[in-house]
Amino acid sequence: MGSSTTLMGLAASPGIAVGRCWPVDQRKVKTPKRRIEQEEVQGELGRLRAALEAADEQLATVRRKVEELEGSEHTAIIDMHRMMLKDEMLLSEVRRLVRDDKVNAEWAVKRAVRKIKSAFSDIADEYFKERRADVDYVGERIIKNLMGEVVDLEEPPPDGSIVIAHDLSPADTALLLHERKVAAFVTDAGTKTSHTAIVARALEIPAVVGVGRISALADKGAWIIVDGQRGIVVLNPSPQERSDYDDARERWLAHERELMATRDLPATTVDGVSVRLAGNIEFAEEVKSLLDHGGEGVGLYRTEFLYMGRTDLPDEEEHYRNYRQVLEALAPRPVTIRTFDLGGDKLPTGARSHDENPALGLRALRYCLRHPDMFRLQLRGLLRASVHGNLRVMFPMVSGLGELRAAKRAFMESREELRREGIETRMPPVGIMVELPSAAVIADRLAKECEFLSIGTNDLIQYTMAIDRQNKDVAYLYRPLHLAVLRMLKFICEAGQAAGIPVSMCGEMAGDPLNVLVLLGLGLSELSMISASVPLVKRVLRAASAADGKRLLERLLELSAASDIEREVRAEMARKFPGLLENGARASPITG
Ligand code: PEP
Ligand code: MG
């Protein structure tokens, strides 16, 4: 047993787990290399055919299981892998290597995969980087079949174990986490917004991703602690550390249970101000968890995830069915569906960003307006679904009135088209995300031409502070309580109130219980956050007074430095809610 090592990664899914490591992808096969004789060529090609068929059957089985457990959303990536098994670019190269270079099928697959991957690696785009992993995955599957290895996770992780992997596909994650009682997982790769992290959050399994080298360090059966709230893992912890974290985990679980007990109570302050606590979702399957946590609707459905990890585009029918499912599951609660925030690193397969600076490029609404046929399919799907529940439609990344008007025009054109086709629709409220400084500064004008505003603090802070959201070196400048941000938030909220329209917040800032008084002070009508944050925010809000929030906000706006504002907020929250924040949000023994 080695000595205790603490590693930092990204906090992908909250919760604490203490258990033993179960590495799932360390069994990398060593590909055999052999020269073959001319007479063996046909035999090798026959073995290749059989391996491809076997791989396809295995994937079909995985797909069925995933569909049963997770619904059809998570099967797209498996479909893509199955298509890759039939990809001529790959297969003709493998056959050529067997025939001309006279190498065995395993080695031919390995070389063909390498060649395709190197073609992808010339493209400096996150999306294509991920596709390289897919080619690897498919190649390895064929090779293992050629070698007669049992490919699927034939040795299931024992209950309570902690899965360690270089990376996990969403399909692996769904199967592993659902069928087995896995306590947590840790990966070398990935980000908070990778599919895998999202599936983990939806299933409420603690996860730390982006750790860098965990799969090289963790031995099967070694003890490990996963703190999914702080993004910390402790490998080979001392007995004392284990017991500290066991206690922290018990506190966390007890606190969660206690919070859940009040989930159905109204989110109303002691002075009678009600705020809707809604959820941010990426997949329709997250609705159940949202309701379990007492969410009162969806404040942000990030529909671009419909496009992720697939080669084809969703058609109108798929949009319609997906939105209808979410609307019906939540009716009569409101569901705010955001049109695609595609672009930058979030692109459908085949599309490619040429932007030097993706965050400032052809993203979100700009991308949709540039691709009107694609946008139209989504708008028509939304409008058709509108009759099945309480829909609100929201446009992301609006920079000014021109874009808002163009988006509304496209929406009305789709509506008119459907009317002509005799299809019934209901006109939903249409709103915008305020997430660019330009939109914040003219929020008063924008508010006159839409029916609600929703503040996206993740991007608003990124663009205001000029910090790339993905760049950990400038993450210290991510300060929701910076005076520049607070002034903008105040202006946006007042603009909405003056126009008589609701203002919500759906950025991460809305889900931090420390911010509750400030958010009440701003007079927001809805806060939207990941499901797991709803109970604690509700607890704090129910004990808070909106009038106190207003007074605090006034004081904060008199201060200047972000650090002074943050100190004041912490002091006030500690005074007003002694113990409350420490128990829940700060359950871990390590303080950050
Ligand atoms: C935001 O920018 O705050 C937001 C909620 O949208 P996303 O995180 O999807 O960009
Ligand atoms: Mg955003």
Side-chain angles (χ1 to χ4, degrees):
M1 195 189 90
S3 59
S4 162
T5 311
T6 300
L7 300 165
M8 298 296 295
L10 302 165
S13 181
I16 294 170
V18 180
R20 292 188 182 267
C21 294
W22 187 267
V24 294
D25 61 356
Q26 279 190 329
R27 296 163 299 135
K28 285 247 178 291
V29 283
K30 181 146 177 29
T31 311
K33 180 180 181 183
R34 192 166 68 81
R35 290 247 157 247
I36 57 167
E37 302 299 326
Q38 178 61 35
E39 313 76 83
E40 290 177 275
V41 167
Q42 284 314 318
E44 283 304 285
L45 294 177
R47 284 207 312 123
L48 175 67
R49 260 194 310 280
L52 289 167
E53 274 165 24
D56 189 54
E57 265 168 37
Q58 286 148 6
L59 285 174
T61 308
V62 174
R63 188 188 193 286
R64 265 196 308 280
K65 284 190 195 161
V66 171
E67 191 162 25
E68 268 165 35
L69 296 167
E70 293 293 304
S72 54
E73 302 243 345
H74 301 290
T75 56
I77 190 118
I78 305 171
D79 291 337
M80 183 174 79
H81 289 160
R82 290 181 74 189
M83 277 169 63
M84 288 168 93
L85 287 173
K86 302 189 174 70
D87 187 303
E88 264 312 301
M89 185 155 93
L90 175 70
L91 297 186
S92 57
E93 178 67 6
V94 177
R95 288 193 208 103
R96 190 191 67 73
L97 289 165
V98 173
R99 276 198 199 104
D100 301 349
D101 288 16
K102 305 273 179 329
V103 292
N104 60 328
E106 287 90 338
W107 193 249
V109 172
K110 180 154 185 128
R111 273 178 49 189
V113 162
R114 214 186 283 154
K115 187 168 168 186
I116 293 178
K117 273 172 55 191
S118 73
F120 279 171
S121 60
D122 296 338
I123 308 169
D125 185 302
E126 272 308 307
Y127 189 79
F128 284 94
K129 268 192 213 149
E130 282 189 22
R131 297 292 73 75
R132 290 206 297 273
D134 290 324
V135 182
D136 256 339
Y137 173 82
V138 170
E140 193 153 315
R141 191 168 274 269
I142 304 172
I143 293 172
K144 282 181 178 171
N145 274 295
L146 279 164
M147 293 171 65
E149 290 222 358
V150 184
V151 178
D152 285 313
L153 300 156
E154 78 283 7
E155 213 187 328
D159 283 2
S161 53
I162 293 177
V163 167
I164 310 290
H166 174 67
D167 202 2
L168 287 172
S169 73
D172 289 341
T173 315
L175 270 182
L176 268 170
L177 303 188
H178 235 281
E179 284 199 331
R180 321 272 165 221
K181 298 261 175 299
V182 163
F185 73 84
V186 186
T187 57
D188 297 337
T191 68
K192 278 180 166 196
T193 52
S194 64
H195 275 88
T196 304
I198 287 159
V199 173
R201 282 201 291 277
L203 300 175
E204 294 174 56
I205 307 277
V208 178
V209 301
V211 180
R213 57 205 169 101
I214 188 72
S215 68
L217 296 176
D219 292 325
K220 189 167 174 179
W223 281 101
I224 187 167
I225 292 165
V226 181
D227 182 343
Q229 253 183 300
R230 296 171 183 282
I232 293 172
V233 294
V234 186
L235 194 56
N236 304 315
S238 66
Q240 185 59 45
E241 282 172 312
R242 254 167 39 210
S243 120
D244 285 352
Y245 267 97
D246 272 332
D247 292 349
R249 181 166 172 275
E250 285 310 313
R251 283 201 303 279
W252 158 269
L253 290 175
H255 190 67
E256 288 283 288
R257 272 195 301 276
E258 201 228 331
L259 284 173
M260 292 295 253
T262 49
R263 68 168 185 208
D264 294 326
L265 295 176
T268 305
T269 62
V270 291
D271 50 351
V273 173
S274 292
V275 179
R276 188 188 306 119
L277 299 187
N280 293 350
I281 62 167
E282 289 77 19
F283 297 115
E285 286 84 349
E286 288 174 85
V287 168
K288 183 180 175 306
S289 161
L290 174 61
L291 290 172
D292 287 347
H293 285 89
E296 301 167 85
V298 168
L300 168 65
Y301 179 11
R302 293 180 162 107
T303 58
E304 58 275 9
F305 280 83
L306 274 178
Y307 262 123
M308 298 288 124
R310 57 191 289 169
T311 45
D312 60 333
L313 301 180
D315 59 15
E316 179 182 319
E317 197 57 29
E318 190 176 341
H319 283 299
Y320 164 70
R321 280 202 308 269
N322 186 285
Y323 306 149
R324 175 178 176 171
Q325 186 189 344
V326 176
L327 283 162
E328 285 182 341
L330 283 159
R333 302 172 189 87
V335 175
T336 308
I337 303 188
R338 176 174 80 179
T339 60
F340 293 133
D341 191 358
L342 278 174
D345 62 338
K346 291 191 281 188
L347 284 174
T349 305
R352 183 180 156 189
S353 170
H354 297 280
D355 294 332
E356 288 273 318
N357 230 328
L360 305 180
L362 196 61
R363 193 188 143 183
L365 186 56
R366 307 158 183 194
Y367 188 88
C368 289
L369 292 173
R370 181 68 71 85
H371 297 93
D373 291 339
M374 180 200 81
F375 196 28
R376 188 170 144 265
L377 295 180
Q378 181 171 43
L379 297 177
R380 284 177 57 103
L382 280 166
L383 279 159
R384 283 176 54 201
S386 64
V387 293
H388 297 292
N390 186 357
L391 172 69
R392 308 196 303 174
V393 172
M394 173 159 84
F395 301 122
M397 297 277 295
V398 170
S399 67
L401 281 158
E403 279 170 344
L404 170 57
R405 288 175 188 161
K408 281 171 62 178
R409 221 168 19 248
F411 196 60
M412 294 316 288
E413 278 165 15
S414 290
R415 185 157 192 248
E416 179 54 25
E417 233 173 54
L418 288 167
R419 193 193 60 75
R420 279 202 302 274
E421 292 165 25
I423 297 172
E424 192 197 345
T425 62
R426 219 179 273 155
M427 189 59 199
V430 172
I432 61 166
M433 290 205 58
V434 182
E435 52 184 345
L436 301 191
S438 64
V441 171
I442 60 162
D444 51 337
R445 310 298 159 90
L446 291 164
K448 291 195 178 120
E449 300 197 22
C450 62
E451 286 143 293
F452 64 92
L453 304 176
S454 184
I455 307 174
T457 47
N458 306 341
D459 278 316
L460 186 61
I461 297 168
Q462 152 165 268
Y463 296 119
T464 302
M465 305 294 292
I467 46 164
D468 180 347
R469 265 168 90 165
Q470 327 260 23
N471 183 340
K472 63 180 179 3
D473 294 332
V474 289
Y476 71 97
L477 285 169
Y478 173 85
R479 313 285 280 269
L481 297 173
H482 191 287
L483 185 58
V485 178
L486 277 188
R487 282 184 175 174
M488 278 193 218
L489 295 180
K490 181 162 185 280
F491 183 76
I492 300 163
C493 290
E494 285 173 355
Q497 282 144 17
I501 62 170
V503 182
S504 53
M505 179 182 286
C506 61
E508 292 298 303
M509 182 180 183
D512 186 342
L514 260 182
N515 293 329
V516 165
L517 275 181
V518 175
L519 301 172
L520 283 170
L522 287 164
L524 288 153
S525 55
E526 176 186 275
L527 301 176
S528 192
M529 60 201 76
I530 62 163
S531 304
S533 300
V534 172
L536 183 57
V537 170
K538 183 182 282 187
R539 170 67 59 90
V540 179
L541 190 136
R542 284 176 52 80
S545 134
D548 283 347
K550 291 217 177 331
R551 280 191 288 274
L552 172 64
L553 183 63
E554 274 165 32
R555 281 208 309 281
L556 300 180
L557 290 164
E558 293 302 315
L559 300 173
S560 303
S563 52
D564 292 338
I565 299 177
E566 287 161 359
R567 195 172 314 114
E568 180 66 21
V569 170
R570 281 185 175 277
E572 179 79 0
M573 294 305 281
R575 250 195 317 275
K576 288 265 160 46
F577 311 103
L580 191 59
L581 298 173
E582 284 75 18
N583 282 342
R586 317 254 160 246
S588 312
I590 294 178
T591 48

